[in-house]
Amino acid sequence: MSNTPDNRLQIHQFSALSDNYCYLVHDPDSKLTGVVDTPEVAPVETALAETGWTLNYILNTHHHHDHTGGNLELKEKTGCKIVGSMAEADRTPGIDIMLGDGDKFELGSKMATVYATPGHTSGHIVYHFAEDNLAFTGDTLFSMGCGRLFEGTAEQMWDSLQKLLAWPDDTLVYCAHEYTQSNAEFALTVEPDNNQLIERASQVAELRQKDQATIPSTIGLERATNPFLRPMSPNLQATLGMSGAPLVDVFAETRLRKDNF
Ligand code: ZN
Ligand code: FE
């Protein structure tokens, strides 16, 4: 079914815990609804009450507790099915449907393609709804940042991020945390001459001052401002003293500096 303004995938964004974002995704054709990750139960229930939608699926990006903590209670209360990474099935509470790289997940008439993005965790996955031009990137790609390398190498994470760079620039990026302002502050230290970054950083500071969300971002904006997607930038390379170095090495050094920022 093709998209008209009326039957596009609907996204209801809300906060949970201290800085997590959670998303209800709703297909108006089938009335099916999923929630992307479950930091905690109460905000999900509030979001369901506000929208009047019924929960059918939990879509987990990775096993960390701030993404799966509400899984079992929500499953028990709603009878929903839990979708997650095959590679993290043993660490994903209540998992029913296990997905790997290239697998499809259908939410009624809407289809997501799953990408395996190891790095932050070994089995992290992201969900790309190509027809609706949006993606849920969990703790792999943040606005102006990327996840810490808890279970993977810099090489794996750089490979993972490059998969996402293949998406169109206007793809909406819904990530799992509001880390944008501190990410921007770090980004400015490694790429101080990036004018789009300077402009985005001041927009973000303004939004956060008003306690407004900086998410969603877009792939195009990230391509232009996210230092973890820009190891090819001469300004970034020069700041790190790595002009002409292999991109994966520049990425690794950028990640290391962020860890110590
Ligand atoms: Zn995580
Ligand atoms: Fe997280």
Side-chain angles (χ1 to χ4, degrees), residues 20 33 43 53 61 79 81 179 188 196 199-200:
N20 280 74
T33 302
W53 299 339
T61 59
K81 293 262 187 262
Y179 290 159
L188 285 167
Q196 272 181 275
E199 190 187 329
R200 170 76 171 147

Side-chain angles (χ1 to χ4, degrees), residues 2 5 33 47 70 88 106 118 138-139 147 153 167 178 180 209 214 237-238:
S2 69
T33 302
E88 296 184 358
E106 280 176 23
D139 286 3
T153 63
W167 297 337
E178 180 60 69
T180 313
Q209 202 165 22
T214 64
Q237 290 184 1

Side-chain angles (χ1 to χ4, degrees), residues 187-188 190-201 221-227 230 233 235-236:
L188 285 167
V190 289
E191 208 184 11
D193 296 340
N194 181 335
N195 288 327
Q196 272 181 275
L197 170 59
I198 294 165
E199 190 187 329
R200 170 76 171 147
L221 194 51
E222 294 311 311
R223 197 191 302 283
T225 62
N226 187 327
R230 298 177 54 75
S233 154
N235 182 207
L236 176 68

Side-chain angles (χ1 to χ4, degrees), residues 5-165:
D6 294 336
N7 75 353
R8 282 184 64 85
L9 193 65
Q10 292 176 249
I11 311 295
H12 180 80
Q13 175 173 339
F14 56 99
S15 299
L17 299 175
S18 59
D19 54 31
N20 280 74
Y21 284 125
C22 225
Y23 306 97
L24 293 184
V25 292
H26 178 77
D27 170 32
D29 294 326
S30 62
K31 314 277 184 230
L32 291 175
T33 302
V35 65
V36 181
D37 288 334
T38 62
E40 51 182 338
V41 172
V44 178
E45 291 182 318
T46 301
L48 289 166
E50 279 172 12
T51 54
W53 299 339
T54 301
L55 191 65
N56 304 102
Y57 296 101
I58 290 167
L59 306 180
N60 285 137
T61 59
H62 66 295
H63 70 85
H64 283 160
H65 192 73
D66 64 311
H67 300 259
T68 58
N71 272 18
L72 293 180
E73 191 177 335
L74 283 166
K75 182 174 177 174
E76 194 180 294
K77 284 179 164 166
T78 66
C80 70
K81 293 262 187 262
I82 299 180
V83 181
S85 170
M86 186 157 20
E88 296 184 358
D90 56 340
R91 296 187 284 177
T92 304
I95 192 167
D96 298 294
I97 300 170
M98 292 163 243
L99 301 175
D101 195 46
D103 284 346
K104 309 286 186 195
F105 172 74
E106 280 176 23
L107 182 74
S109 67
K110 309 302 185 208
M111 175 135 70
T113 302
V114 170
Y115 289 70
T117 58
H120 177 68
T121 64
S122 59
H124 195 296
I125 57 175
V126 306
Y127 299 86
H128 182 216
F129 287 85
E131 206 178 323
D132 288 86
N133 229 14
L134 59 90
F136 298 98
T137 59
D139 286 3
T140 291
L141 176 64
F142 297 125
S143 185
M144 290 182 272
C146 76
R148 273 176 193 263
L149 303 179
F150 287 120
E151 299 175 10
T153 63
E155 191 162 30
Q156 283 177 316
M157 187 58 130
W158 173 233
D159 283 347
S160 295
L161 292 171
Q162 282 177 279
K163 293 183 189 180
L164 316 193
L165 278 172

